[in-house]
PDB file of all heavy atoms in Angstrom:
ATOM      1  N   LEU A  30     -20.063  40.922   7.331  1.00  0.00           N
ATOM      2  CA  LEU A  30     -20.811  39.489   7.412  1.00  0.00           C
ATOM      3  C   LEU A  30     -22.339  39.685   7.197  1.00  0.00           C
ATOM      4  O   LEU A  30     -22.980  38.785   6.662  1.00  0.00           O
ATOM      5  CB  LEU A  30     -20.518  38.792   8.743  1.00  0.00           C
ATOM      6  CG  LEU A  30     -19.198  38.149   8.717  1.00  0.00           C
ATOM      7  CD1 LEU A  30     -19.020  37.377  10.062  1.00  0.00           C
ATOM      8  CD2 LEU A  30     -18.833  37.268   7.652  1.00  0.00           C
ATOM      9  N   ARG A  31     -22.838  40.909   7.628  1.00  0.00           N
ATOM     10  CA  ARG A  31     -24.208  41.205   7.358  1.00  0.00           C
ATOM     11  C   ARG A  31     -24.553  41.409   5.904  1.00  0.00           C
ATOM     12  O   ARG A  31     -25.549  41.152   5.360  1.00  0.00           O
ATOM     13  CB  ARG A  31     -24.685  42.237   8.312  1.00  0.00           C
ATOM     14  CG  ARG A  31     -24.902  41.876   9.621  1.00  0.00           C
ATOM     15  CD  ARG A  31     -25.463  43.023  10.459  1.00  0.00           C
ATOM     16  NE  ARG A  31     -24.468  43.257  11.438  1.00  0.00           N
ATOM     17  CZ  ARG A  31     -24.067  44.399  11.871  1.00  0.00           C
ATOM     18  NH1 ARG A  31     -24.412  45.457  11.361  1.00  0.00           N
ATOM     19  NH2 ARG A  31     -23.091  44.513  12.889  1.00  0.00           N
ATOM     20  N   LEU A  32     -23.473  41.961   5.182  1.00  0.00           N
ATOM     21  CA  LEU A  32     -23.592  42.354   3.791  1.00  0.00           C
ATOM     22  C   LEU A  32     -23.340  41.130   2.803  1.00  0.00           C
ATOM     23  O   LEU A  32     -23.858  41.082   1.749  1.00  0.00           O
ATOM     24  CB  LEU A  32     -22.740  43.552   3.454  1.00  0.00           C
ATOM     25  CG  LEU A  32     -23.160  44.882   4.169  1.00  0.00           C
ATOM     26  CD1 LEU A  32     -22.054  45.854   3.850  1.00  0.00           C
ATOM     27  CD2 LEU A  32     -24.527  45.281   3.781  1.00  0.00           C
ATOM     28  N   ALA A  33     -22.355  40.382   3.238  1.00  0.00           N
ATOM     29  CA  ALA A  33     -21.874  39.325   2.309  1.00  0.00           C
ATOM     30  C   ALA A  33     -22.711  38.039   2.441  1.00  0.00           C
ATOM     31  O   ALA A  33     -23.246  37.748   3.535  1.00  0.00           O
ATOM     32  CB  ALA A  33     -20.416  38.977   2.755  1.00  0.00           C
ATOM     33  N   PRO A  34     -22.845  37.275   1.361  1.00  0.00           N
ATOM     34  CA  PRO A  34     -23.645  36.068   1.361  1.00  0.00           C
ATOM     35  C   PRO A  34     -22.828  34.962   2.016  1.00  0.00           C
ATOM     36  O   PRO A  34     -22.666  33.888   1.496  1.00  0.00           O
ATOM     37  CB  PRO A  34     -23.879  35.805  -0.090  1.00  0.00           C
ATOM     38  CG  PRO A  34     -22.669  36.416  -0.817  1.00  0.00           C
ATOM     39  CD  PRO A  34     -22.284  37.549  -0.044  1.00  0.00           C
ATOM     40  N   LEU A  35     -22.332  35.218   3.245  1.00  0.00           N
ATOM     41  CA  LEU A  35     -21.541  34.134   3.975  1.00  0.00           C
ATOM     42  C   LEU A  35     -22.387  33.816   5.187  1.00  0.00           C
ATOM     43  O   LEU A  35     -22.855  34.552   6.000  1.00  0.00           O
ATOM     44  CB  LEU A  35     -20.196  34.775   4.422  1.00  0.00           C
ATOM     45  CG  LEU A  35     -19.278  35.148   3.384  1.00  0.00           C
ATOM     46  CD1 LEU A  35     -18.098  36.022   3.997  1.00  0.00           C
ATOM     47  CD2 LEU A  35     -18.718  34.019   2.593  1.00  0.00           C
ATOM     48  N   GLU A  36     -22.311  32.439   5.454  1.00  0.00           N
ATOM     49  CA  GLU A  36     -22.951  31.881   6.654  1.00  0.00           C
ATOM     50  C   GLU A  36     -21.984  32.151   7.726  1.00  0.00           C
ATOM     51  O   GLU A  36     -20.858  31.692   7.788  1.00  0.00           O
ATOM     52  CB  GLU A  36     -23.239  30.421   6.439  1.00  0.00           C
ATOM     53  CG  GLU A  36     -24.377  30.077   5.448  1.00  0.00           C
ATOM     54  CD  GLU A  36     -25.756  30.588   5.973  1.00  0.00           C
ATOM     55  OE1 GLU A  36     -25.969  30.638   7.258  1.00  0.00           O
ATOM     56  OE2 GLU A  36     -26.543  30.977   5.137  1.00  0.00           O
ATOM     57  N   THR A  37     -22.487  32.763   8.911  1.00  0.00           N
ATOM     58  CA  THR A  37     -21.638  33.093   9.979  1.00  0.00           C
ATOM     59  C   THR A  37     -21.114  31.810  10.641  1.00  0.00           C
ATOM     60  O   THR A  37     -19.876  31.702  10.960  1.00  0.00           O
ATOM     61  CB  THR A  37     -22.457  33.873  11.080  1.00  0.00           C
ATOM     62  OG1 THR A  37     -22.970  35.058  10.436  1.00  0.00           O
ATOM     63  CG2 THR A  37     -21.569  34.190  12.292  1.00  0.00           C
ATOM     64  N   THR A  38     -21.922  30.795  10.582  1.00  0.00           N
ATOM     65  CA  THR A  38     -21.377  29.553  11.221  1.00  0.00           C
ATOM     66  C   THR A  38     -20.266  28.927  10.391  1.00  0.00           C
ATOM     67  O   THR A  38     -19.351  28.341  10.916  1.00  0.00           O
ATOM     68  CB  THR A  38     -22.546  28.458  11.380  1.00  0.00           C
ATOM     69  OG1 THR A  38     -23.203  28.270  10.114  1.00  0.00           O
ATOM     70  CG2 THR A  38     -23.584  28.905  12.396  1.00  0.00           C
ATOM     71  N   THR A  39     -20.412  28.994   9.133  1.00  0.00           N
ATOM     72  CA  THR A  39     -19.295  28.497   8.296  1.00  0.00           C
ATOM     73  C   THR A  39     -17.986  29.230   8.512  1.00  0.00           C
ATOM     74  O   THR A  39     -16.931  28.621   8.584  1.00  0.00           O
ATOM     75  CB  THR A  39     -19.714  28.582   6.814  1.00  0.00           C
ATOM     76  OG1 THR A  39     -20.985  27.901   6.576  1.00  0.00           O
ATOM     77  CG2 THR A  39     -18.697  28.060   5.867  1.00  0.00           C
ATOM     78  N   VAL A  40     -18.082  30.656   8.613  1.00  0.00           N
ATOM     79  CA  VAL A  40     -16.872  31.409   8.775  1.00  0.00           C
ATOM     80  C   VAL A  40     -16.277  31.105  10.139  1.00  0.00           C
ATOM     81  O   VAL A  40     -15.024  30.971  10.336  1.00  0.00           O
ATOM     82  CB  VAL A  40     -17.201  32.959   8.712  1.00  0.00           C
ATOM     83  CG1 VAL A  40     -16.024  33.756   9.099  1.00  0.00           C
ATOM     84  CG2 VAL A  40     -17.763  33.215   7.266  1.00  0.00           C
ATOM     85  N   ARG A  41     -17.172  30.924  11.140  1.00  0.00           N
ATOM     86  CA  ARG A  41     -16.760  30.600  12.474  1.00  0.00           C
ATOM     87  C   ARG A  41     -16.016  29.220  12.589  1.00  0.00           C
ATOM     88  O   ARG A  41     -14.923  29.171  13.136  1.00  0.00           O
ATOM     89  CB  ARG A  41     -17.890  30.589  13.509  1.00  0.00           C
ATOM     90  CG  ARG A  41     -17.442  30.403  14.897  1.00  0.00           C
ATOM     91  CD  ARG A  41     -18.622  30.499  15.839  1.00  0.00           C
ATOM     92  NE  ARG A  41     -18.952  31.896  16.132  1.00  0.00           N
ATOM     93  CZ  ARG A  41     -20.074  32.456  15.776  1.00  0.00           C
ATOM     94  NH1 ARG A  41     -21.037  31.903  15.181  1.00  0.00           N
ATOM     95  NH2 ARG A  41     -20.300  33.783  15.967  1.00  0.00           N
ATOM     96  N   GLU A  42     -16.502  28.310  11.952  1.00  0.00           N
ATOM     97  CA  GLU A  42     -15.934  26.920  11.874  1.00  0.00           C
ATOM     98  C   GLU A  42     -14.611  27.021  11.152  1.00  0.00           C
ATOM     99  O   GLU A  42     -13.641  26.381  11.624  1.00  0.00           O
ATOM    100  CB  GLU A  42     -16.910  25.993  11.317  1.00  0.00           C
ATOM    101  CG  GLU A  42     -18.154  25.638  12.128  1.00  0.00           C
ATOM    102  CD  GLU A  42     -19.234  24.774  11.333  1.00  0.00           C
ATOM    103  OE1 GLU A  42     -18.917  24.324  10.236  1.00  0.00           O
ATOM    104  OE2 GLU A  42     -20.256  24.604  11.917  1.00  0.00           O
ATOM    105  N   SER A  43     -14.563  27.653   9.999  1.00  0.00           N
ATOM    106  CA  SER A  43     -13.386  27.764   9.255  1.00  0.00           C
ATOM    107  C   SER A  43     -12.310  28.428  10.083  1.00  0.00           C
ATOM    108  O   SER A  43     -11.053  28.017   9.997  1.00  0.00           O
ATOM    109  CB  SER A  43     -13.612  28.554   8.040  1.00  0.00           C
ATOM    110  OG  SER A  43     -14.420  27.820   7.099  1.00  0.00           O
ATOM    111  N   LEU A  44     -12.480  29.489  10.742  1.00  0.00           N
ATOM    112  CA  LEU A  44     -11.507  30.130  11.603  1.00  0.00           C
ATOM    113  C   LEU A  44     -11.108  29.322  12.716  1.00  0.00           C
ATOM    114  O   LEU A  44      -9.930  29.320  13.114  1.00  0.00           O
ATOM    115  CB  LEU A  44     -12.100  31.462  12.140  1.00  0.00           C
ATOM    116  CG  LEU A  44     -12.283  32.655  11.103  1.00  0.00           C
ATOM    117  CD1 LEU A  44     -13.021  33.846  11.613  1.00  0.00           C
ATOM    118  CD2 LEU A  44     -10.950  33.009  10.502  1.00  0.00           C
ATOM    119  N   ARG A  45     -11.985  28.580  13.316  1.00  0.00           N
ATOM    120  CA  ARG A  45     -11.629  27.610  14.420  1.00  0.00           C
ATOM    121  C   ARG A  45     -10.756  26.539  13.844  1.00  0.00           C
ATOM    122  O   ARG A  45      -9.817  26.165  14.634  1.00  0.00           O
ATOM    123  CB  ARG A  45     -12.869  27.062  15.071  1.00  0.00           C
ATOM    124  CG  ARG A  45     -13.573  28.163  16.024  1.00  0.00           C
ATOM    125  CD  ARG A  45     -14.692  27.514  16.611  1.00  0.00           C
ATOM    126  NE  ARG A  45     -15.313  28.463  17.604  1.00  0.00           N
ATOM    127  CZ  ARG A  45     -16.676  28.551  18.039  1.00  0.00           C
ATOM    128  NH1 ARG A  45     -17.459  27.540  17.624  1.00  0.00           N
ATOM    129  NH2 ARG A  45     -17.070  29.500  18.746  1.00  0.00           N
ATOM    130  N   SER A  46     -10.911  26.179  12.685  1.00  0.00           N
ATOM    131  CA  SER A  46     -10.018  25.132  12.087  1.00  0.00           C
ATOM    132  C   SER A  46      -8.681  25.721  11.791  1.00  0.00           C
ATOM    133  O   SER A  46      -7.686  25.133  12.148  1.00  0.00           O
ATOM    134  CB  SER A  46     -10.650  24.629  10.748  1.00  0.00           C
ATOM    135  OG  SER A  46      -9.798  23.669  10.084  1.00  0.00           O
ATOM    136  N   VAL A  47      -8.539  26.911  11.334  1.00  0.00           N
ATOM    137  CA  VAL A  47      -7.324  27.563  11.145  1.00  0.00           C
ATOM    138  C   VAL A  47      -6.568  27.806  12.528  1.00  0.00           C
ATOM    139  O   VAL A  47      -5.362  27.491  12.615  1.00  0.00           O
ATOM    140  CB  VAL A  47      -7.458  28.918  10.446  1.00  0.00           C
ATOM    141  CG1 VAL A  47      -6.182  29.842  10.419  1.00  0.00           C
ATOM    142  CG2 VAL A  47      -7.935  28.754   8.964  1.00  0.00           C
ATOM    143  N   ARG A  48      -7.323  28.209  13.458  1.00  0.00           N
ATOM    144  CA  ARG A  48      -6.822  28.493  14.759  1.00  0.00           C
ATOM    145  C   ARG A  48      -6.203  27.068  15.351  1.00  0.00           C
ATOM    146  O   ARG A  48      -5.160  27.041  15.953  1.00  0.00           O
ATOM    147  CB  ARG A  48      -7.950  28.848  15.713  1.00  0.00           C
ATOM    148  CG  ARG A  48      -7.367  29.276  17.092  1.00  0.00           C
ATOM    149  CD  ARG A  48      -8.589  29.235  18.113  1.00  0.00           C
ATOM    150  NE  ARG A  48      -8.165  29.682  19.426  1.00  0.00           N
ATOM    151  CZ  ARG A  48      -7.412  28.879  20.203  1.00  0.00           C
ATOM    152  NH1 ARG A  48      -7.046  27.652  19.912  1.00  0.00           N
ATOM    153  NH2 ARG A  48      -7.074  29.415  21.423  1.00  0.00           N
ATOM    154  N   ALA A  49      -6.942  25.942  15.205  1.00  0.00           N
ATOM    155  CA  ALA A  49      -6.496  24.592  15.667  1.00  0.00           C
ATOM    156  C   ALA A  49      -5.186  24.308  14.937  1.00  0.00           C
ATOM    157  O   ALA A  49      -4.241  23.780  15.607  1.00  0.00           O
ATOM    158  CB  ALA A  49      -7.577  23.527  15.354  1.00  0.00           C
ATOM    159  N   ASP A  50      -5.130  24.518  13.685  1.00  0.00           N
ATOM    160  CA  ASP A  50      -3.863  24.175  12.915  1.00  0.00           C
ATOM    161  C   ASP A  50      -2.712  25.022  13.374  1.00  0.00           C
ATOM    162  O   ASP A  50      -1.607  24.546  13.581  1.00  0.00           O
ATOM    163  CB  ASP A  50      -4.055  24.384  11.410  1.00  0.00           C
ATOM    164  CG  ASP A  50      -5.010  23.427  10.820  1.00  0.00           C
ATOM    165  OD1 ASP A  50      -5.324  22.320  11.246  1.00  0.00           O
ATOM    166  OD2 ASP A  50      -5.490  23.695   9.602  1.00  0.00           O
ATOM    167  N   LEU A  51      -2.972  26.347  13.578  1.00  0.00           N
ATOM    168  CA  LEU A  51      -1.878  27.258  14.080  1.00  0.00           C
ATOM    169  C   LEU A  51      -1.430  26.777  15.479  1.00  0.00           C
ATOM    170  O   LEU A  51      -0.218  26.788  15.790  1.00  0.00           O
ATOM    171  CB  LEU A  51      -2.315  28.720  14.043  1.00  0.00           C
ATOM    172  CG  LEU A  51      -2.532  29.201  12.670  1.00  0.00           C
ATOM    173  CD1 LEU A  51      -3.137  30.668  12.818  1.00  0.00           C
ATOM    174  CD2 LEU A  51      -1.272  29.247  11.930  1.00  0.00           C
ATOM    175  N   ASN A  52      -2.431  26.396  16.290  1.00  0.00           N
ATOM    176  CA  ASN A  52      -2.078  25.931  17.669  1.00  0.00           C
ATOM    177  C   ASN A  52      -1.254  24.732  17.650  1.00  0.00           C
ATOM    178  O   ASN A  52      -0.293  24.592  18.475  1.00  0.00           O
ATOM    179  CB  ASN A  52      -3.454  25.781  18.511  1.00  0.00           C
ATOM    180  CG  ASN A  52      -3.124  25.778  19.883  1.00  0.00           C
ATOM    181  OD1 ASN A  52      -2.478  26.650  20.455  1.00  0.00           O
ATOM    182  ND2 ASN A  52      -3.626  24.855  20.560  1.00  0.00           N
ATOM    183  N   ALA A  53      -1.530  23.807  16.803  1.00  0.00           N
ATOM    184  CA  ALA A  53      -0.641  22.627  16.589  1.00  0.00           C
ATOM    185  C   ALA A  53       0.733  22.981  16.250  1.00  0.00           C
ATOM    186  O   ALA A  53       1.612  22.399  16.758  1.00  0.00           O
ATOM    187  CB  ALA A  53      -1.318  21.675  15.535  1.00  0.00           C
ATOM    188  N   VAL A  54       0.929  23.982  15.400  1.00  0.00           N
ATOM    189  CA  VAL A  54       2.208  24.300  14.941  1.00  0.00           C
ATOM    190  C   VAL A  54       3.005  24.904  16.176  1.00  0.00           C
ATOM    191  O   VAL A  54       4.146  24.595  16.468  1.00  0.00           O
ATOM    192  CB  VAL A  54       2.224  25.331  13.708  1.00  0.00           C
ATOM    193  CG1 VAL A  54       3.604  25.778  13.451  1.00  0.00           C
ATOM    194  CG2 VAL A  54       1.707  24.634  12.520  1.00  0.00           C
ATOM    195  N   VAL A  55       2.272  25.835  16.916  1.00  0.00           N
ATOM    196  CA  VAL A  55       2.906  26.521  18.083  1.00  0.00           C
ATOM    197  C   VAL A  55       3.309  25.425  19.156  1.00  0.00           C
ATOM    198  O   VAL A  55       4.442  25.417  19.649  1.00  0.00           O
ATOM    199  CB  VAL A  55       1.951  27.507  18.732  1.00  0.00           C
ATOM    200  CG1 VAL A  55       2.489  27.992  20.082  1.00  0.00           C
ATOM    201  CG2 VAL A  55       1.755  28.633  17.731  1.00  0.00           C
ATOM    202  N   GLU A  56       2.395  24.468  19.349  1.00  0.00           N
ATOM    203  CA  GLU A  56       2.756  23.381  20.332  1.00  0.00           C
ATOM    204  C   GLU A  56       3.893  22.473  19.823  1.00  0.00           C
ATOM    205  O   GLU A  56       4.804  22.092  20.608  1.00  0.00           O
ATOM    206  CB  GLU A  56       1.482  22.459  20.517  1.00  0.00           C
ATOM    207  CG  GLU A  56       0.468  23.113  21.311  1.00  0.00           C
ATOM    208  CD  GLU A  56      -0.926  22.378  21.427  1.00  0.00           C
ATOM    209  OE1 GLU A  56      -0.945  21.174  20.899  1.00  0.00           O
ATOM    210  OE2 GLU A  56      -1.854  22.816  22.023  1.00  0.00           O
ATOM    211  N   SER A  57       4.053  22.273  18.450  1.00  0.00           N
ATOM    212  CA  SER A  57       5.121  21.467  17.899  1.00  0.00           C
ATOM    213  C   SER A  57       6.440  22.257  18.172  1.00  0.00           C
ATOM    214  O   SER A  57       7.497  21.684  18.565  1.00  0.00           O
ATOM    215  CB  SER A  57       4.847  21.314  16.432  1.00  0.00           C
ATOM    216  OG  SER A  57       6.071  20.636  15.899  1.00  0.00           O
ATOM    217  N   ILE A  58       6.337  23.557  17.942  1.00  0.00           N
ATOM    218  CA  ILE A  58       7.621  24.429  18.155  1.00  0.00           C
ATOM    219  C   ILE A  58       7.994  24.365  19.623  1.00  0.00           C
ATOM    220  O   ILE A  58       9.183  24.169  19.912  1.00  0.00           O
ATOM    221  CB  ILE A  58       7.425  25.819  17.609  1.00  0.00           C
ATOM    222  CG1 ILE A  58       7.293  25.911  16.213  1.00  0.00           C
ATOM    223  CG2 ILE A  58       8.534  26.716  18.120  1.00  0.00           C
ATOM    224  CD1 ILE A  58       6.782  27.123  15.583  1.00  0.00           C
ATOM    225  N   ALA A  59       7.066  24.438  20.493  1.00  0.00           N
ATOM    226  CA  ALA A  59       7.321  24.543  21.986  1.00  0.00           C
ATOM    227  C   ALA A  59       7.858  23.164  22.420  1.00  0.00           C
ATOM    228  O   ALA A  59       8.820  22.985  23.136  1.00  0.00           O
ATOM    229  CB  ALA A  59       6.047  24.814  22.752  1.00  0.00           C
ATOM    230  N   SER A  60       7.373  21.985  21.822  1.00  0.00           N
ATOM    231  CA  SER A  60       7.761  20.677  22.136  1.00  0.00           C
ATOM    232  C   SER A  60       9.159  20.492  21.708  1.00  0.00           C
ATOM    233  O   SER A  60      10.001  19.938  22.476  1.00  0.00           O
ATOM    234  CB  SER A  60       6.850  19.702  21.576  1.00  0.00           C
ATOM    235  OG  SER A  60       7.315  18.366  21.770  1.00  0.00           O
ATOM    236  N   ARG A  61       9.544  20.902  20.495  1.00  0.00           N
ATOM    237  CA  ARG A  61      10.877  20.862  19.912  1.00  0.00           C
ATOM    238  C   ARG A  61      11.877  21.672  20.770  1.00  0.00           C
ATOM    239  O   ARG A  61      12.880  21.136  21.119  1.00  0.00           O
ATOM    240  CB  ARG A  61      10.849  21.203  18.589  1.00  0.00           C
ATOM    241  CG  ARG A  61      12.095  20.883  17.800  1.00  0.00           C
ATOM    242  CD  ARG A  61      11.928  21.006  16.240  1.00  0.00           C
ATOM    243  NE  ARG A  61      10.808  20.310  15.779  1.00  0.00           N
ATOM    244  CZ  ARG A  61      10.063  20.723  14.788  1.00  0.00           C
ATOM    245  NH1 ARG A  61      10.265  21.885  14.294  1.00  0.00           N
ATOM    246  NH2 ARG A  61       8.933  20.173  14.337  1.00  0.00           N
ATOM    247  N   ALA A  62      11.423  22.801  21.173  1.00  0.00           N
ATOM    248  CA  ALA A  62      12.356  23.678  22.005  1.00  0.00           C
ATOM    249  C   ALA A  62      12.567  22.990  23.330  1.00  0.00           C
ATOM    250  O   ALA A  62      13.639  23.037  23.859  1.00  0.00           O
ATOM    251  CB  ALA A  62      11.726  25.055  22.216  1.00  0.00           C
ATOM    252  N   THR A  63      11.564  22.470  23.901  1.00  0.00           N
ATOM    253  CA  THR A  63      11.709  21.659  25.151  1.00  0.00           C
ATOM    254  C   THR A  63      12.659  20.455  25.097  1.00  0.00           C
ATOM    255  O   THR A  63      13.593  20.337  25.983  1.00  0.00           O
ATOM    256  CB  THR A  63      10.287  21.272  25.738  1.00  0.00           C
ATOM    257  OG1 THR A  63       9.489  22.419  25.955  1.00  0.00           O
ATOM    258  CG2 THR A  63      10.506  20.488  27.051  1.00  0.00           C
ATOM    259  N   ARG A  64      12.499  19.750  24.018  1.00  0.00           N
ATOM    260  CA  ARG A  64      13.424  18.554  23.812  1.00  0.00           C
ATOM    261  C   ARG A  64      14.818  19.097  23.623  1.00  0.00           C
ATOM    262  O   ARG A  64      15.756  18.453  24.110  1.00  0.00           O
ATOM    263  CB  ARG A  64      12.923  17.790  22.580  1.00  0.00           C
ATOM    264  CG  ARG A  64      11.812  16.863  22.881  1.00  0.00           C
ATOM    265  CD  ARG A  64      11.608  15.804  21.736  1.00  0.00           C
ATOM    266  NE  ARG A  64      11.604  16.454  20.419  1.00  0.00           N
ATOM    267  CZ  ARG A  64      10.513  16.754  19.695  1.00  0.00           C
ATOM    268  NH1 ARG A  64       9.295  16.367  20.225  1.00  0.00           N
ATOM    269  NH2 ARG A  64      10.552  17.336  18.596  1.00  0.00           N
ATOM    270  N   ASN A  65      15.065  20.208  22.788  1.00  0.00           N
ATOM    271  CA  ASN A  65      16.346  20.621  22.507  1.00  0.00           C
ATOM    272  C   ASN A  65      17.056  21.230  23.720  1.00  0.00           C
ATOM    273  O   ASN A  65      18.279  21.036  23.878  1.00  0.00           O
ATOM    274  CB  ASN A  65      16.333  21.714  21.371  1.00  0.00           C
ATOM    275  CG  ASN A  65      15.967  21.179  20.063  1.00  0.00           C
ATOM    276  OD1 ASN A  65      16.078  19.871  19.913  1.00  0.00           O
ATOM    277  ND2 ASN A  65      15.575  21.945  19.121  1.00  0.00           N
ATOM    278  N   SER A  66      16.242  21.784  24.644  1.00  0.00           N
ATOM    279  CA  SER A  66      16.839  22.381  25.843  1.00  0.00           C
ATOM    280  C   SER A  66      17.171  21.352  26.848  1.00  0.00           C
ATOM    281  O   SER A  66      18.012  21.417  27.657  1.00  0.00           O
ATOM    282  CB  SER A  66      15.924  23.400  26.479  1.00  0.00           C
ATOM    283  OG  SER A  66      14.724  22.729  27.083  1.00  0.00           O
ATOM    284  N   ALA A  67      16.518  20.123  26.806  1.00  0.00           N
ATOM    285  CA  ALA A  67      16.771  19.034  27.659  1.00  0.00           C
ATOM    286  C   ALA A  67      18.125  18.245  27.294  1.00  0.00           C
ATOM    287  O   ALA A  67      18.732  17.427  28.015  1.00  0.00           O
ATOM    288  CB  ALA A  67      15.636  18.019  27.686  1.00  0.00           C
ATOM    289  N   VAL A  68      18.534  18.501  26.004  1.00  0.00           N
ATOM    290  CA  VAL A  68      19.686  17.740  25.616  1.00  0.00           C
ATOM    291  C   VAL A  68      20.997  18.466  26.028  1.00  0.00           C
ATOM    292  O   VAL A  68      21.129  19.685  25.860  1.00  0.00           O
ATOM    293  CB  VAL A  68      19.883  17.710  23.997  1.00  0.00           C
ATOM    294  CG1 VAL A  68      21.049  17.072  23.382  1.00  0.00           C
ATOM    295  CG2 VAL A  68      18.606  16.952  23.429  1.00  0.00           C
TER     296      VAL A  68
END
């Protein structure tokens, strides 16, 4: 990051956005598993 012409804040925000998307998928899978185990 020190060598590349990348803004650290931009990289950090992009990674946090990816993290949020992945977390939403994990939560969806967990929610679906909970619903399926209750049936």
Side-chain angles (χ1 to χ4, degrees):
L30 287 182
R31 285 186 239 130
L32 296 173
L35 297 171
E36 290 292 326
T37 304
T38 54
T39 303
V40 173
R41 183 175 283 116
E42 289 171 10
S43 295
L44 289 171
R45 286 182 177 157
S46 175
V47 169
R48 185 198 185 288
D50 291 344
L51 292 174
N52 198 50
V54 173
V55 170
E56 288 175 1
S57 174
I58 291 169
S60 174
R61 193 170 301 142
T63 301
R64 280 193 310 257
N65 289 343
S66 67
V68 175

